[in-house]
Every structure is written in structure tokens, then in C-alpha cells.
Amino acid sequence: MGMSIRKILIANRGEIAVRVIRACRELEINTVAIYSDDDVNALHVKLADEAYHIGPSPPRESYLNIDRIIETARKAGADAIHPGYGFLSENANFVDACEKAGIIFIGPRSSTMRFSGDKMAIKQLAKRLGIPVVPASDGILEDADKAAEFAREFGYPVLLKSAFGGGGRGIRLVNNEEQLRQEFELSTMEAKAAYGRAAMFVEKYFPRIRHIEYQLLRDMHGNGLYLFERECSIQRRYQKLIELAPSPVIDEETRHRIGGMVVKLADALDYINAGTVEFIRDEGSGNLYLIEINSRLQVEHPVTEMITGKDLVKLQIHIASGKELPFKQNDLRVNGYAIECRINAEDPLNEFAPSYGKVGSVNIPYGPGIRVDTYLYPGCNVSGYYDSLVAKVIAWGSTFDEARRRMRNALDEFHIEGINTTIPLHRFIMDEPAFSRGEISTDYLDRFNIIERIQERIKASIQSSTDAIAAATLIFTEMNKYITASNGKYMKEGSSGSTSSSDGQKTQDRSRPSAWKRVGMLMLARGSLYEV
């Protein structure tokens, strides 16, 4: 039996809050925004039906303040809370608080979230279900000695991971035992500080991999399905930069075989709502290995929406209302290709240094197959307190190459004044030959020296501009010299440069060359000017 949702509080900010508000509008559901001091004039505040100040700018005092968010939801009369991604989206205690307050949490149950957040537990369950996982130590490692034993078994290098990390955090590449012991102690301290507990394990390292993930949906009636795969291999320090759907290396047989495993895992977890099951693909063997589950909506969900025609946010709300999924697995088809570029307020040519402040003019691209999810508008503020993502550009095409060209053109049109962004990096990649061939992996930026090549191109462009300015200055100087000398010559000769016609009107003396013709004669005489 379905539950009526009439008003949703969005426990988030930025582009994802705007995204959820727009989905609610289509469903004719009222929306409640929350905002910090830095977000007083944010776009999501302007678009929501109601907006409430939640606290100071630091996240722990605003967007991570569970008690204040629940209190605000009650005050606003919200039936449900959508967490977006990040912040409290995978916090089981927040889900518990929603359930206790009688508010629908649009996402998985707290028990499922706790289990899926434990990478070791998920891998053990996957093994029992016959789903391939990356070879790793069994259970949590209590000390560096145990970690060293498994590292010797797998052979260096290995990955040292926190069982409770996420978003690429808590991962360290270790090349020898001495480094492993140092990193183990450091990682243990960091894990305790971030998660309140330390839980480390060692995992086999594959030298070249692709990051492949599957979009999962499952309703309260036990109907689960997968909306195919996304490829998120272009990364920097385990943080995704560009996503594709579908992956260029996943064939139909693999797509559906792995998809079936994803649904099997969801059934075993009694998973509810949207989630993502992540795999790595070893480029040496072509094998896929499960690494974790993300029990929330992903940043890159738009590429899945573009190739399936399904609105994942509206489906999340549909499922949270207790309704059955309105379609079956056999109804889904992959239609075309989609690319997403994450536009971050960072300088890719300066170690990705953060950039924030007031935005001047903004030109947002549009056209066939182009979608832009953003919170930017002229005069808005990009805060230094939060994630650097300011926009996502998504391009769809009937072929990968059409999607790539559309993305390139969209990036050319996307201008943001006042902050540095990663647009130049994405623009370069769209024309980069290896990317065009689909030859990507998680080490793509380093393997193809992308940053260095962009820097070389910019230096060459600056030199070319400098040369052009020098040439123009020289030409202008010579023009002035000649015109001045020429005018002096004609003045001495007493020529006015004009004659009178039969009706007494002055006309141009055609025997005297025009100023531009004299410049041309000068440049022909001094052919060296053309060599600049």
C-alpha cells in the first residue's frame, strides 16, 4: 500500500538540492530547503517552496547537524527527507532519527546501510553468493604484522584500505613492508578520527584497472533490477572526474551476467531504493571484481538517466512511497551513449588548488543532447566550506563520438567568471586520442601525461599570442611613421589631397595613394614584416 508524500525536505545543498527540487516539482510535491550562513542566497533556497536557516557555515554546525535537520523537518511539516549525496546520505544514525520522528527517509533502511557500509562484510556476503571479489585479507587486521603477512602472500604493491572509508578516501598504495608499517599506523589514526574506529585490511593491487559500477533499484515488494553500468575510470587520487555510460569494454553478455549478480546481492540484503554496486576490471584478464556498495544516489546518476530515459530521483520517491517499480528488467534498453564532466572549482594547472568566491557572469551551454546540473548564476557565491563541485555537464549522443563532440562544444560555450574551474582539463580530454578510442583506466591522467600536455599547450598559446602582439605593435609603429612622413611630404608640396569638380565640390585626388594603400606598399617593400 502506498504512502502519500506531500512535502520533502532536502537535507543537502548545491546542484543536487536543485536537482531534487526540480524532480519534486514534476511530481507536484512541495519542497523544503535548508541553508547555512554561506548559502543564504543559494539557488536551491530560491527555488524551494520553503527555506529554513540551519546554522553557521561549517558543515558540522549545519548540514551535518542531525537534530537540527529533524527539528526543521517537523517544523515544516515534511513527510520525507531526501539526503542527496554526501553529508548525511550514508549515515545510518540519521536514518534512525528519521524513522524515530516518523519521517520517511528516501533511501535504504538503517540496518542495510550499516551492513553495506562495511566493505569486509559485503565482500564476505558476495563470496557466499558466488560473486567475484578482489583477493584480500580475511577480516579486520589488528596490527601491522598481520597486514604484512597478507601483503607478502599477494606480493607488493598492495592497497591498504579502511573498511569504513568511502569516496576514495582511506586508500593507500603500499610498495614495500617498511612503507606498509608506516602507513598502517597513520591510517589507523586517521580512521579513528574520521569514523570512531579503526578497521584496516589489505587488498591485492592490480596495476591497471577500470572502475565499473552498476545502478541498482529495488522496491519494497522485492522487485529488483539494474539500469546497466557506468564507467568512472578517469580519476585523480581516487576521485572521479569523468563518467561514461555504457562502458566501452562491457559486452552484452557481461552486462547482463554481472547485472544479475547485482540483483542477487540486493535480494540477499533486502535492499530498498537506489544504490550502486562498484567493481574494478583488471585490464590484464578482463575480470570484474566487486569492491563495495554505495547506498545512496551517485553524483554521476545523470548518465544512467540519459541512456535509459528513467528519472532516478523520481523513482527514489516512488519507491519510498511504497509503490512497485513501474517497469521490469526486460523493459530496459541501452539507448546511445552519455558522458558526464564534473566541473569543480579547482585549478587543474596548480595542483587542483581550490577556488572560491563570488561568480561574475555565467554562460551555461545548451543544445541537442546537452544537460547541465548546476547551482551557478551570475552573482552567486562559491563557498570554500563545501565540496568543490559547481556543475555537471552531461552530453548524450547516438554514438560515443557524437556524445564526445557535443561535450567538447558544450565545454567551449561554458564560461564562469570569477573562479578557476576544471573546464580546461575536460576540454583537453575530449580531444585527446586515447580518450577518443576509449583507452582509459584509473591511471589515465598519469599514463598519458595529461596535465603536463595541457601546460605545454598553454605555454605555446601564450608564446604565439606574445609573438602576434609584437608583430601588431611593429606594424602599427611602422604605419604611424609612414603616414606621418607621407603627410609631411604632401604638406611641403602644398597638396591638399583634393580637387574641385565642375560643380565646385571637392573630390579626392586619385593621383595620391590612400593611407591604407601606402601601408600596403610599405609592407611589400619591407617583406621582413611577414616573417614575424
Side-chain angles (χ1 to χ4, degrees):
M1 181 177 178
M3 297 168 281
S4 176
I5 294 180
R6 299 177 303 278
K7 184 183 286 189
I8 293 175
L9 181 145
I10 298 97
N12 218 299
R13 65 176 299 280
E15 66 85 16
I16 187 59
V18 173
R19 167 75 183 90
V20 176
I21 289 169
R22 286 174 172 157
C24 289
R25 280 182 171 179
E26 291 185 30
L27 295 171
E28 299 184 333
I29 294 173
N30 291 329
T31 55
V32 179
I34 58 174
Y35 62 92
S36 69
D37 289 349
D38 256 29
D39 282 338
V40 170
N41 296 310
L43 185 58
H44 74 284
V45 175
K46 297 175 183 291
L47 293 179
D49 297 299
E50 303 171 37
Y52 294 82
H53 181 251
I54 201 72
S57 299
R60 290 195 177 279
E61 299 178 49
S62 51
Y63 297 106
L64 292 175
N65 191 324
I66 293 176
D67 292 340
R68 199 168 295 168
I69 292 173
I70 295 296
E71 178 187 342
T72 303
R74 282 173 165 166
K75 180 180 178 180
D79 307 300
I81 291 179
H82 194 298
Y85 53 72
F87 290 130
L88 296 170
S89 62
E90 292 182 281
N91 188 311
N93 294 332
F94 183 48
V95 183
D96 286 337
C98 290
E99 292 172 356
K100 185 177 179 181
I103 298 170
I104 297 169
F105 179 81
I106 301 176
R109 301 185 186 96
S110 60
S111 57
T112 306
M113 193 173 285
R114 285 191 175 90
F115 190 89
S116 62
D118 186 336
K119 296 178 184 178
M120 293 303 299
I122 282 294
K123 287 183 176 181
Q124 289 166 1
L125 174 60
K127 279 184 180 179
R128 292 197 297 271
L129 295 173
I131 301 172
V133 300
V134 178
S137 55
D138 295 322
I140 302 304
L141 300 173
E142 301 297 333
D143 54 52
D145 290 336
K146 286 289 184 183
E149 285 182 22
F150 281 102
R152 285 193 291 269
E153 178 185 338
F154 299 144
Y156 288 99
V158 295
L159 290 177
L160 183 64
K161 289 187 173 185
S162 168
F164 303 105
R169 297 172 180 85
I171 302 175
R172 283 179 162 79
L173 177 62
V174 178
N175 294 296
N176 54 59
E177 186 166 325
E178 180 183 0
Q179 185 188 4
L180 182 140
R181 292 182 181 278
Q182 292 173 348
E183 296 286 5
F184 190 93
E185 298 304 321
L186 183 59
S187 298
T188 298
M189 288 189 291
E190 287 183 355
K192 286 180 178 177
Y195 312 112
R197 51 183 170 169
M200 308 305 298
F201 66 96
V202 171
E203 189 174 87
K204 179 178 174 62
Y205 173 73
F206 295 103
R208 182 153 296 149
I209 60 171
R210 289 177 181 251
H211 183 118
I212 309 290
E213 61 185 33
Y214 273 72
Q215 179 63 56
L216 162 71
L217 285 176
R218 191 171 183 273
D219 62 29
M220 297 178 186
H221 306 274
N223 302 308
L225 46 80
Y226 57 95
L227 283 79
F228 313 117
E229 82 282 355
R230 299 184 286 257
E231 174 149 0
C232 314
S233 296
I234 297 184
Q235 305 177 4
R236 176 183 177 268
R237 296 180 181 175
Y238 303 106
Q239 299 297 303
K240 301 166 186 173
L241 298 174
I242 297 174
E243 296 94 1
L244 320 173
S247 167
V249 296
I250 301 297
D251 58 34
E252 280 294 300
E253 188 278 328
T254 303
R255 176 169 296 126
H256 298 297
R257 176 170 53 83
I258 300 297
M261 292 180 183
V262 166
V263 173
K264 188 177 180 181
L265 181 62
D267 289 341
L269 288 167
D270 193 19
Y271 194 97
I272 303 299
N273 216 273
T276 300
V277 182
E278 301 198 352
F279 297 82
I280 61 169
R281 181 183 188 270
D282 173 29
E283 287 296 86
S285 64
N287 294 330
L288 272 74
Y289 301 95
L290 181 142
I291 52 174
E292 63 181 350
I293 292 181
N294 286 319
S295 51
R296 57 172 167 80
L297 189 70
Q298 293 282 85
V299 175
E300 58 271 19
H301 74 273
V303 290
T304 296
E305 294 180 327
M306 297 291 265
I307 66 163
T308 62
K310 305 299 182 184
D311 187 315
L312 294 180
V313 176
K314 290 200 291 187
L315 286 167
Q316 281 191 292
I317 297 169
H318 185 91
I319 292 170
S321 300
K323 300 173 184 176
E324 289 193 56
L325 283 166
F327 51 85
K328 304 295 183 183
Q329 187 68 57
N330 290 339
D331 298 325
L332 295 170
R333 298 287 185 276
V334 174
N335 178 32
Y337 292 80
I339 303 170
E340 175 181 284
C341 289
R342 299 190 187 194
I343 309 303
N344 294 328
E346 298 171 341
D347 184 353
L349 301 179
N350 185 25
E351 294 295 322
F352 288 81
S355 180
Y356 48 86
K358 187 175 181 179
V359 170
S361 64
V362 180
N363 185 63
I364 295 174
Y366 59 90
I370 297 299
R371 164 179 166 181
V372 180
D373 288 10
T374 185
Y375 67 84
L376 297 176
Y377 66 87
C380 74
N381 177 56
V382 174
S383 174
Y385 281 101
Y386 313 115
D387 187 88
S388 63
L389 182 70
V390 296
K392 301 182 306 199
V393 183
I394 306 99
W396 178 91
S398 57
T399 65
F400 172 76
D401 202 49
E402 182 177 51
R404 181 187 63 80
R405 291 195 303 270
R406 284 177 169 175
M407 176 63 79
R408 179 192 63 201
N409 295 339
L411 293 170
D412 280 343
E413 295 176 17
F414 201 174
H415 300 290
I416 307 170
E417 184 183 65
I419 58 171
N420 293 316
T421 73
T422 51
I423 290 175
L425 170 64
H426 294 301
R427 177 63 182 80
F428 181 89
I429 290 174
M430 287 305 113
D431 278 336
E432 203 279 317
F435 177 80
S436 301
R437 298 192 300 268
E439 191 180 329
I440 59 178
S441 54
T442 55
D443 64 347
Y444 169 82
L445 291 186
D446 293 332
R447 181 157 59 116
F448 294 103
N449 302 310
I450 299 300
I451 302 300
E452 292 81 356
R453 288 163 62 191
I454 296 175
Q455 291 172 332
E456 289 172 5
R457 176 177 288 186
I458 289 175
K459 286 178 183 176
S461 177
I462 291 172
Q463 185 60 51
S464 177
S465 298
T466 302
D467 291 346
I469 291 169
T473 302
L474 179 58
I475 292 171
F476 182 75
T477 302
E478 294 291 348
M479 284 171 57
N480 278 337
K481 285 180 182 178
Y482 186 85
I483 292 171
T484 301
S486 178
N487 286 340
K489 174 185 175 184
Y490 281 101
M491 289 294 290
K492 286 178 181 177
E493 293 173 354
S495 173
S496 65
S498 62
T499 58
S500 296
S501 63
S502 57
D503 60 3
Q505 298 296 315
K506 289 187 176 181
T507 61
Q508 184 67 35
D509 183 358
R510 297 185 182 278
S511 65
R512 176 184 175 183
S514 69
W516 284 110
K517 187 173 181 179
R518 297 199 304 275
V519 170
M521 292 165 62
L522 169 69
M523 294 179 73
L524 284 173
R526 301 192 179 187
S528 60
L529 287 175
Y530 289 101
E531 297 171 8
V532 174

